[in-house]
Amino acid sequence: MKHKDGKPINLPNKHRNVTVAITVIVLCGIAFYLGGMQCSSQNGGLVTNIVEKALDLPKQSGSLQVRPINFPECSTDLQDYTPCTDPKRWRKYGTYRLTLLERHCPPLSERKECLVPPPDGYKPPIRWPKSRDECWYRNVPYDWINNEKSNQHWLRKEGEKFLFPGGGTMFPNGVGEYVDLMVDLIPEMKDGTVRTAIDTGCGVASWGGDLLDRGILTISLAPRDNHEAQVQFALERGIPAMLGVISTQRLPYPSNSFDMAHCSRCLIPWTEFGGIYLHEIHRILRPGGFWILSGPPVNYERRWRGWNTTIEEQRSDYEKLQDVLTSMCFKLYNKKDDIAVWQKSKDNNCYDKLPSETYPPKCDDSFEPDAGWYVPLRTCVVVPEAKYKKSALTYMPKWPERLLATPERISAIHGASSSTFNHDNSKWKKRVQHYKKLLPELGTEKVRNVMDMNTLYGGFAAALINDPLWVMNVVSAYGTNSLPVVYDRGLIGTYHDWCEAFSTYPRTYDLFHLDGLFTDESHRCEMKYVLLEMDRILRPGGHAIIRESTYFVDAIATIAKGMRWGCRKENTEYGVEKEKILICQKKLGNSSKKGSR
């Protein structure tokens, strides 16, 4: 059997067992000999530890064995626990450029080994598409937005439900009318040219929700801040969203990926710190992509009185914004009322004409444009690689043709080609057909929010494209960087390291898919913590499709049982013995006893 990238998987065999047995005997002999020589207790302890680790081996040939453990339930104050964006830890970090809102994961000694409970009265989420307009109050029991934004119609509480009228700070009369105006300004939103978008400071993600009906897939992004549960509301509605903030670190996406970026009075100081936040938008927008701003200082001539400022200050801010954008080869594309649209340069002609002494400067060769995992922001202009002309929005196939067209940037992946891409598509089409036989809920309204935890080209998501769901494609921050290919197909995803917690609230996904994740990452990440993180994110009653080598399957099932999951082992579509599929389901409802960890 091989990895997704073609590398062979080295599984335990009889020769290895013999070798390990000999090694244990030798180590025991060494320990005995060193003990006879009265070596220091420190060295003796070291040898003893080595021997004990060597003896902690699988009891059965070809299968990893772990000790059963029953995980307790966490205390109720952790029902919305987000480990790497935990408000309880913010005081440890500075407020400069909102550093405290970025990812700050707890050390290993502070990791929780318990099951995050749902709030009292939690119910299975309302199914899509009805969920776009309403959700159960008890599932996200927070009134801050309802109380503070009631005049803007973000949401309102009625009985046991929150209703989402589709309002926002800049579109209190409804998001549909707002997007209609936007479409008039950007005709490319109507013909499949624009497919992927990002909404910074997304509120409850009404903009991204409206765009789904228009064939545009949006990542709605917001930090965990005093606007309680923005991202949790979005995901409860069935709209793609992540916790995140543009602060001092890059966003976890590759360069030249989104067709469109949007800010509706998102309160990001775009022109401060040398325009560094706009440089990040420039990095992740593909050539020819659009940046949309509604709110200050757009339309300052009419709006300045409501912004607690002066018309002179707003005019200055608008002129400064225009200067910063021009320095990065953006051009004002269209403007009407409260909405202004800029377009990133379609090719490199503008960058070639920038003077060498310009500020901000062009990024140098030390700047890896696609790196997006704990990489500091820099004030420099990312010039797209000239060899990827077809990755510009103007030249890309339109949606849905884009999904199956071989992306130009696949050439950057070692060993990848058009043939490997097409083979991957065929493989996943067959695999998904098999999955639907094993899990009939897949492809129905019972499964909406899906995560492919270690994708390559996004083949799993592509095979599900006609089903009423969306897929967050996760690419390892330490593996083959195939995320640009995922975006070039018109899909969405993120970089992540599964040794850490994911940037989302608990109970936000219906289904996980894993393809050899533990084979790929077990040398770095402890299996127990990965599975506990999956339990945190998975909705009660949700499922996991775990495709793994037989070496790991039994150990995964043992840990899953301790999390009160029900799992069954199934054959793959080919029936090979070296690989199995676990179909697991998280228990619906609270556990029987409250914990205190």
Side-chain angles (χ1 to χ4, degrees):
M1 192 176 71
K2 296 182 177 180
H3 283 298
K4 296 184 289 297
D5 60 2
K7 297 179 180 179
I9 296 175
N10 296 319
L11 298 176
N13 53 39
K14 294 180 180 179
H15 297 293
R16 178 182 174 183
N17 290 341
V18 172
T19 302
V20 170
I22 293 172
T23 302
V24 171
I25 293 170
V26 171
L27 287 171
C28 289
I30 292 173
F32 180 81
Y33 177 74
L34 290 176
M37 293 181 65
Q38 298 181 349
C39 66
S40 70
S41 60
Q42 181 180 359
N43 290 337
L46 175 61
V47 174
T48 302
N49 289 337
I50 293 174
V51 174
E52 288 175 351
K53 290 182 179 180
L55 289 172
D56 189 16
L57 298 171
K59 296 180 181 179
Q60 298 177 7
S61 175
S63 177
L64 175 66
Q65 301 295 305
V66 297
R67 294 182 179 89
I69 180 173
N70 289 320
F71 297 98
E73 188 168 287
C74 305
S75 58
T76 55
D77 65 336
L78 293 175
Q79 67 183 26
D80 287 323
Y81 182 50
T82 54
C84 297
T85 51
D86 185 0
K88 294 179 181 178
R89 304 180 74 244
W90 284 352
R91 65 182 183 276
K92 297 181 180 181
Y93 308 102
T95 58
Y96 175 72
R97 284 171 53 186
L98 298 180
T99 303
L100 76 167
L101 298 181
E102 291 186 313
R103 287 179 59 86
H104 303 287
C105 299
L108 185 62
S109 60
E110 296 180 17
R111 286 191 178 182
K112 309 296 183 185
E113 295 189 21
C114 55
L115 309 179
V116 174
D120 290 338
Y122 180 88
K123 298 181 180 181
I126 295 170
R127 303 300 181 191
W128 182 267
K130 197 175 180 181
S131 64
R132 178 163 42 191
D133 301 320
E134 59 184 49
C135 77
W136 296 115
Y137 169 76
R138 294 308 312 170
N139 288 11
V140 194
Y142 302 111
D143 293 312
W144 190 92
I145 295 177
N146 183 41
N147 295 333
E148 295 296 322
K149 303 287 185 178
S150 58
N151 64 320
Q152 297 169 11
H153 309 298
W154 287 28
L155 53 77
R156 69 174 182 270
K157 186 176 181 293
E158 288 190 5
E160 295 184 345
K161 294 179 178 179
F162 275 128
L163 306 183
F164 300 91
T169 304
M170 295 304 299
F171 42 92
N173 296 325
V175 68
E177 179 182 311
Y178 174 77
V179 176
D180 286 342
L181 175 58
M182 201 172 293
V183 171
D184 290 340
L185 299 177
I186 311 173
E188 292 86 346
M189 292 175 65
K190 294 185 291 187
D191 65 0
T193 300
V194 172
R195 165 61 182 171
T196 58
I198 184 169
D199 187 13
T200 54
C202 64
V204 294
S206 293
W207 187 74
D210 181 88
L211 290 176
L212 289 170
D213 284 341
R214 304 173 192 253
I216 298 174
L217 191 58
T218 304
I219 288 183
S220 296
L221 190 76
R224 178 157 185 168
D225 64 355
N226 64 330
H227 289 200
E228 280 184 333
Q230 293 179 86
V231 165
Q232 193 172 18
F233 274 121
L235 288 161
E236 188 70 18
R237 300 176 68 186
I239 301 171
M242 282 184 65
L243 287 169
V245 61
I246 307 180
S247 178
T248 65
Q249 306 286 327
R250 289 185 190 175
L251 297 176
Y253 316 116
S255 66
N256 308 327
S257 294
F258 292 97
D259 305 331
M260 185 166 66
H262 172 254
C263 164
S264 174
R265 202 169 186 182
C266 58
L267 304 181
I268 298 174
W270 294 112
T271 59
E272 293 183 18
F273 311 108
I276 196 167
Y277 306 130
L278 280 172
H279 282 83
E280 179 63 357
I281 293 296
H282 178 273
R283 182 186 72 87
I284 63 176
L285 267 184
R286 70 174 68 252
F290 300 98
W291 184 60
I292 306 161
L293 177 65
S294 64
V298 177
N299 201 14
Y300 67 87
E301 300 92 339
R302 292 179 54 200
R303 295 286 192 181
W304 66 271
R305 290 182 180 85
W307 294 341
N308 298 318
T309 183
T310 66
I311 189 170
E312 290 79 16
E313 288 176 343
Q314 287 301 306
R315 181 187 296 111
S316 175
D317 286 348
Y318 184 79
E319 291 172 351
K320 186 176 181 180
L321 177 67
Q322 184 63 51
D323 289 343
V324 172
L325 289 166
T326 300
S327 72
M328 292 184 284
C329 291
F330 277 100
K331 288 185 178 180
L332 185 63
Y333 184 78
N334 221 332
K335 181 182 175 184
K336 186 176 181 180
D337 297 334
D338 296 324
I339 302 174
V341 181
W342 285 266
Q343 185 177 31
K344 182 177 174 178
S345 180
K346 301 177 182 180
D347 52 42
N348 285 12
N349 290 336
C350 172
Y351 304 107
D352 294 339
K353 295 176 182 177
L354 292 176
S356 57
E357 67 277 7
T358 187
Y359 183 85
K362 298 178 187 178
C363 298
D364 56 35
D365 292 340
S366 66
F367 189 99
E368 172 48 58
D370 288 337
W373 191 246
Y374 294 119
V375 178
L377 292 181
R378 285 175 55 185
T379 308
C380 62
V381 179
V382 179
V383 179
E385 293 190 61
K387 64 180 180 180
Y388 294 131
K389 293 181 180 179
K390 294 181 181 178
S391 295
L393 188 60
T394 309
Y395 306 108
M396 293 197 72
K398 295 181 179 180
W399 182 261
E401 290 78 13
R402 190 193 298 192
L403 181 68
L404 298 179
T406 304
E408 184 181 36
R409 289 195 282 181
I410 200 170
S411 62
I413 302 174
H414 178 71
S417 64
S418 179
S419 61
T420 61
F421 177 79
N422 292 330
H423 172 73
D424 189 75
N425 286 331
S426 299
K427 176 183 72 176
W428 281 108
K429 185 176 181 180
K430 185 171 183 177
R431 286 184 172 186
V432 166
Q433 288 174 348
H434 184 62
Y435 290 163
K436 289 183 176 180
K437 294 177 183 177
L438 302 179
L439 185 63
E441 291 91 340
L442 182 59
T444 73
E445 75 283 352
K446 294 181 179 180
V447 175
R448 174 62 185 170
N449 301 351
V450 178
M451 182 183 292
D452 192 2
M453 291 177 62
N454 60 324
T455 193
L456 183 59
Y457 303 142
F460 174 73
L464 292 166
I465 200 65
N466 294 318
D467 294 331
L469 54 80
W470 60 273
V471 180
M472 180 65 74
N473 293 281
V474 180
V475 170
S476 172
Y478 295 97
T480 300
N481 184 13
S482 59
L483 197 53
V485 170
V486 172
Y487 273 95
D488 288 352
R489 302 186 69 172
L491 304 172
I492 57 172
T494 182
Y495 295 119
H496 185 63
D497 174 11
W498 282 112
C499 299
E500 299 181 2
F502 193 80
S503 295
T504 192
Y505 282 89
R507 304 173 301 280
T508 46
Y509 281 83
D510 298 303
L511 176 72
F512 286 126
H513 174 254
L514 298 74
D515 178 24
L517 175 67
F518 295 106
T519 297
D520 291 343
E521 300 283 15
S522 62
H523 65 290
R524 295 194 315 107
C525 310
E526 189 172 344
M527 184 185 300
K528 172 179 62 177
Y529 291 116
V530 176
L531 288 164
L532 283 170
E533 175 63 1
M534 292 168 60
D535 182 83
R536 184 185 73 87
I537 300 173
L538 194 62
R539 287 170 166 171
H543 291 85
I545 301 174
I546 304 174
R547 189 184 190 100
E548 261 300 346
S549 69
T550 52
Y551 179 65
F552 289 105
V553 167
D554 290 339
I556 295 169
T558 298
I559 297 173
K561 184 178 180 180
M563 300 190 306
R564 305 178 186 91
W565 287 17
C567 296
R568 70 179 193 271
K569 189 188 301 185
E570 300 283 357
N571 289 326
T572 67
E573 61 281 358
Y574 300 110
V576 296
E577 286 302 314
K578 292 184 178 180
E579 187 178 48
K580 295 293 180 181
I581 297 172
L582 279 179
I583 303 293
C584 299
Q585 185 175 26
K586 179 178 176 178
K587 180 181 177 181
L588 180 62
N590 293 316
S591 62
S592 59
K593 192 174 182 180
K594 300 292 182 183
S596 59
R597 290 193 181 187

